[in-house]
Amino acid sequence: MFPLGVLKKQKPAPDPNLTLLLMHFEGADGSTTFTDSSPVPYAIVNTDSQISSFTLKSGFGSSGFFNNLGGSPYRKIETVNVAPDLRNTDFTIECFIHPTALNFFLCEIFGTQRINDNLCYACSISQTTNTLTADVFGVQFSHQTTISLNTTHHIALVRRNNNFIIYLNGVAGNVSPSISQSIIDNYNPTTPLRIGVARGGSASFFTGYIDEFRIRKEAVYTGNFTPPTAPFTY
């Protein structure tokens, strides 16, 4: 009970319009149609990836399957035209992953780049150390905990001011050095956002399942947290 005349301060409801990309990977098993459920959806181009009935978490439904065990074309999906421009805002890029193989030196989960191959923001798994690694505007840093194969993990790449941090299963990793806004501004993304790989022409593809991929124009997480237990609504 609160004293008479004292009102409990309500936490403001999250703004759906801050969601720039939201992919639930829902659909029939084997479908090659992927959709963005954000308020202003991107058109999605698919290269041989499929919807799978494999469920990463209870209640999550289907997932995206990226079977990059060799051959061509490699499996990936990407937004049409350029990726969301995140140079001048806090952001959170997150998803659930379930890797089944580490068959490339860097198994790139997602990313976007400039034409000269420098990554603007990306996450990958190192084949040699099984660590989650982030690339943001010319700086690379890794999480202190290793990734397990055939296991579902939640990952999040968060920008808060000019610091960047990766979370694995809700646990904060190493914070990147502060990056000046002038350097960030010089990294204008010129390629689509890719899921299942970051660089369009390299053989650094992700093998396994991805679900609930979301980009929010805010730092959703500012400390350790419990990963979501239900699909995102915004």
Side-chain angles (χ1 to χ4, degrees), residues 99-116:
T100 56
L102 297 178
N103 47 309
F104 297 103
F105 175 68
L106 280 178
C107 301
E108 296 174 337
I109 303 163
F110 66 83
T112 188
Q113 64 182 114
R114 299 192 301 174
I115 291 174
N116 63 1

Side-chain angles (χ1 to χ4, degrees), residues 28-188:
D29 193 36
S31 171
T32 57
T33 300
F34 294 85
T35 58
D36 173 14
S37 299
S38 65
V40 183
Y42 278 87
I44 304 297
V45 173
N46 175 32
T47 303
D48 279 7
S49 303
Q50 294 184 353
I51 298 294
S52 170
S53 58
F54 185 81
T55 300
L56 273 63
K57 289 285 184 180
S58 176
F60 273 47
S62 54
S63 58
F65 181 43
F66 301 82
N67 184 22
N68 287 308
L69 288 175
S72 181
Y74 288 102
R75 280 74 171 171
K76 65 180 184 296
I77 62 176
E78 58 188 21
T79 60
V80 172
N81 302 319
V82 298
D85 188 351
L86 302 175
R87 288 176 296 164
N88 296 298
T89 181
D90 289 352
F91 65 75
T92 302
I93 307 175
E94 63 183 311
C95 62
F96 287 86
I97 63 170
H98 189 99
T100 56
L102 297 178
N103 47 309
F104 297 103
F105 175 68
L106 280 178
C107 301
E108 296 174 337
I109 303 163
F110 66 83
T112 188
Q113 64 182 114
R114 299 192 301 174
I115 291 174
N116 63 1
D117 201 41
N118 290 326
L119 293 169
C120 296
Y121 32 88
C123 274
S124 59
I125 305 171
S126 169
Q127 182 191 55
T128 55
T129 62
N130 282 41
T131 53
L132 178 66
T133 298
D135 287 272
V136 290
F137 307 110
V139 174
Q140 186 178 90
F141 53 101
S142 297
H143 200 280
Q144 66 271 16
T145 305
T146 57
I147 293 280
S148 299
L149 290 180
N150 302 304
T151 302
T152 297
H153 303 275
H154 179 267
I155 64 171
L157 174 61
V158 176
R159 175 185 180 180
R160 191 180 186 192
N161 298 319
N162 284 343
N163 289 115
F164 300 82
I165 188 167
I166 45 176
Y167 293 86
L168 177 60
N169 299 324
V171 177
N174 300 314
V175 180
S176 78
S178 182
I179 306 172
S180 71
Q181 188 62 46
S182 61
I183 291 176
I184 292 171
D185 288 340
N186 194 40
Y187 271 74
N188 183 23

